[in-house]
Amino acid sequence: MKFDYLFRKVTVIDGSGGAEYLADVAVKGERIADIAPCITGEATHEIDGRGRVLAPGFIDVHTHDDINVIRFPEYLPKISQGITTVIVGNCGISAAGAVINDQVPDPMNLLGEAHQFVYPTVEAYAHAVEQARPAINVGTLVGHTALRNNQLDDLFRPATEEEIIAMRGQLKLALQQGALGLSTGLAYASAFHSSTEEVMALAEELAAEKGIYTTHLRSEFEPILEALDEAFRIGRHGKVPVVVSHHKCAGAKNWGRTVETLKLFDKVREQQEVSCDCYPYSASSSTLDMKQITDEFDIVITWSEPHPEVAGQTLQQIADGWSMSLHEAGKLLMPAGAIYYNMDEQDVRRVLSYPVTMIGSDGLPNDPMPHPRLWGAFPRVLGHYSRDEKLFPLTQAVHKMTGMSAARFQLHERGLVKRGYYADLVLFDPQTVRDMASFSNPKQPAAGIQAVMVNGVMSYGQEQKVIGRAGRFLRRQK
């Protein structure tokens, strides 16, 4: 047999969490055709993999790339990290299934402007992804806030019984069309007034379709244990797996409490399926939220509609310049985006190394000055935390980005270097891989990522350019 690609003498880290091994790996068409100590067949393209790691393409389980993967299908911020699949529709906000008639409510405005929400169903969104043919695969969750915005005339109240029935109908259709599950963003004002019972009712639709429940908790600050308990109760009620989004203990008064939260995870995991995702930084990023304004840590403004000239300055610098309080300045900046230096590094390390933590970038692609996680999250785990800080072995780092994520989100025949699986692959140098994106210069491709293959098509190379686009819309497999 003649193969399309043959990786010679690579160190295979297969995504299972098992030991690395030396092998040849052959690709034919869209699949991994063979893995053996020495493959004798010929190939159109032969790649010397000595000193390099071949891993499954990374799966970014927490993104807000919904509209951008269609608008900018080369999608360099993600493929340059070795990411071959993104999960969109997180934090209760999704472009798929959203109908925007007028204003885009916060935080759905993170995804784009009103005229860009043109996907009233998951099927419409899937068609748009297939037409755009992005460089990476895309799977979507359906956002609770998107459903609320479709049905409620006022987001700042609980839904009525009739509205819940209408949302359930939309969610069921979305799941039947291949959505991976339901996401909530209960901390945001546009969803905060929803009751636990409202979300429980929606979660009832998930079990029959084998969907998943992911949640940006109602609070990541002092009431975090109560917020976790609510998330786990929703999962138990719906009989579905729960993923806690970007798990953190935010706010200076909360630092160190991942000891408590992870102990709760340990206890609950004995009874039900729960896990979380995490990005490898001690600063978060979102829209500017008046409830999060404090003088306990720095807040950097990334964009402001009325005052674009202040992007890159701290809220304290802006308030001092305007001779007013932080809250007064915050009100004048709205709507705006911000980076919050609100986490403790030890908490980040605890969550990253927790056995059921997956990696998600949570990058905001429309920020003029984005958090560096948009371009750097995955190589930062490989280089900084695994190689340099020795937080966990490289095999475990790769597992958290690949096999664990594919299993959790039911991505069929992906996430492993395994014969017969889709050839989503990344070749990287374990000695030089690292994030180059910084807070002051965030739009930088990673170092050490040498080749990225998506569905058997070589898509990114050493020149740090996109050289192929073969991404697909990934539907949930029952």
Side-chain angles (χ1 to χ4, degrees):
M1 181 190 291
K2 186 168 184 180
F3 302 109
D4 296 322
Y5 288 90
L6 185 52
F7 296 90
R8 291 279 190 200
K9 295 182 170 55
V10 284
T11 301
V12 177
I13 295 183
D14 68 5
S16 68
E20 62 184 49
Y21 59 91
L22 278 172
D24 290 355
V25 178
V27 173
K28 187 168 178 62
E30 63 186 18
R31 304 274 184 169
I32 297 168
D34 199 8
I35 306 168
C38 183
I39 295 173
T40 54
E42 291 181 18
T44 307
H45 305 281
E46 207 165 291
I47 297 164
D48 182 356
R50 282 176 293 189
R52 308 289 184 263
V53 167
L54 188 70
F58 306 141
I59 299 167
D60 190 344
V61 297
H62 192 103
T63 85
H64 298 288
D65 300 328
D66 306 43
I67 293 171
N68 288 57
V69 285
I70 295 167
R71 291 179 62 211
F72 309 107
E74 292 202 335
Y75 224 51
L76 193 60
K78 294 300 170 75
I79 197 157
S80 64
Q81 295 181 59
I83 292 167
T84 57
T85 297
V86 295
I87 307 297
V88 302
N90 284 281
C91 294
I93 59 176
S94 62
V99 178
I100 304 289
N101 295 316
D102 188 16
Q103 289 289 101
V104 187
D106 184 277
M108 289 184 71
N109 53 5
L110 291 173
L111 302 184
E113 298 171 10
H115 70 273
Q116 294 167 337
F117 285 82
V118 290
Y119 318 107
T121 62
V122 167
E123 200 57 65
Y125 182 76
H127 179 70
V129 170
E130 296 286 359
Q131 289 290 106
R133 201 165 176 81
I136 53 179
N137 301 310
V138 183
T140 189
L141 299 156
V142 173
H144 171 227
T145 302
L147 295 174
R148 297 189 98 234
N149 192 59
N150 291 350
Q151 302 298 336
L152 276 67
D153 57 1
D154 176 10
L155 293 174
F156 304 98
R157 63 168 174 80
T160 65
E161 199 169 322
E162 292 76 16
E163 288 162 345
I164 291 171
I165 290 167
M167 286 193 283
R168 285 182 69 151
Q170 283 197 298
L171 175 59
K172 185 174 184 175
L173 177 64
L175 292 165
Q176 289 171 344
Q177 292 179 351
L180 302 171
L182 173 72
S183 76
T184 57
L186 300 177
Y188 292 104
S190 48
F192 189 77
H193 296 275
S194 60
S195 65
T196 305
E197 290 70 28
E198 175 183 324
V199 185
M200 281 179 168
L202 292 174
E204 288 171 13
E205 296 293 338
L206 295 170
E209 299 293 333
K210 294 190 167 50
I212 194 168
Y213 176 61
T214 77
T215 180
H216 178 150
L217 297 171
R218 206 175 282 273
S219 177
E220 296 174 324
F221 291 80
E222 280 83 350
I224 190 165
L225 292 178
E226 294 85 343
L228 282 168
D229 179 66
E230 178 187 38
F232 299 151
R233 281 190 291 124
I234 290 166
R236 277 198 300 278
H237 179 83
K239 301 181 176 61
V240 290
V242 177
V243 177
V244 175
S245 297
H246 42 60
H247 182 41
K248 66 174 80 70
C249 287
K253 294 185 182 70
N254 226 18
W255 290 349
R257 291 190 65 205
T258 54
V259 172
E260 296 173 58
T261 63
L262 296 177
K263 194 176 284 186
L264 179 58
F265 268 89
D266 285 341
K267 183 182 173 187
V268 172
R269 281 173 59 208
E270 294 175 6
Q271 307 294 329
Q272 66 185 110
E273 280 189 84
V274 298
S275 57
C276 63
D277 65 64
C278 172
Y279 49 81
Y281 299 85
S282 57
S284 67
S285 180
S286 186
T287 49
L288 183 61
D289 177 4
M290 297 303 291
K291 289 189 296 183
Q292 290 193 53
I293 290 178
T294 175
D295 60 3
E296 291 176 348
F297 48 77
D298 279 344
I299 300 170
V300 175
I301 301 302
T302 56
W303 59 272
S304 165
E305 272 188 23
H307 294 282
E309 73 280 359
V310 302
Q313 294 181 42
T314 67
L315 183 58
Q316 188 71 63
Q317 288 169 330
I318 295 163
D320 290 347
W322 290 350
S323 302
M324 58 179 65
S325 73
L326 291 175
H327 280 85
E328 287 168 336
K331 280 180 188 168
L332 291 180
L333 292 168
M334 301 283 270
I339 290 172
Y340 303 87
Y341 289 82
N342 60 0
M343 285 176 266
D344 176 64
E345 175 65 17
Q346 291 309 310
D347 282 329
V348 174
R349 287 167 181 251
R350 270 188 217 105
V351 176
L352 268 177
S353 54
Y354 190 64
V356 294
T357 299
M358 299 169 285
I359 307 303
S361 69
D362 197 17
L364 303 178
N366 295 313
D367 273 11
M369 187 89 169
H371 189 301
R373 65 194 181 184
L374 180 69
W375 288 77
F378 285 71
R380 183 169 173 79
V381 173
L382 299 171
H384 177 68
Y385 281 109
S386 177
R387 180 190 61 230
D388 301 341
E389 296 294 316
K390 297 182 171 42
L391 190 61
F392 35 63
L394 192 56
T395 50
Q396 192 179 340
V398 169
H399 178 53
K400 288 174 171 290
M401 304 173 168
T402 57
M404 185 190 295
S405 309
R408 176 59 63 218
F409 284 87
Q410 300 176 77
L411 304 179
H412 188 55
E413 295 181 338
R414 297 183 194 272
L416 298 174
V417 179
K418 187 174 178 180
R419 191 181 285 107
Y421 271 46
Y422 289 98
D424 291 349
L425 299 166
V426 56
L427 185 73
F428 66 90
D429 184 335
Q431 300 308 315
T432 62
V433 66
R434 69 187 182 99
D435 56 311
M436 302 299 287
S438 64
F439 285 96
S440 57
N441 195 4
K443 298 179 182 181
Q444 300 297 312
I449 303 290
Q450 301 194 335
V452 184
M453 178 178 278
V454 181
N455 295 312
V457 174
M458 195 60 79
S459 300
Y460 179 81
Q462 286 178 310
E463 306 79 30
Q464 297 192 323
K465 290 178 184 163
V466 174
I467 53 177
R469 283 172 28 203
R472 296 176 187 165
F473 182 75
L474 304 184
R475 297 173 197 268
R476 189 191 70 270
Q477 300 290 320
K478 290 191 198 179

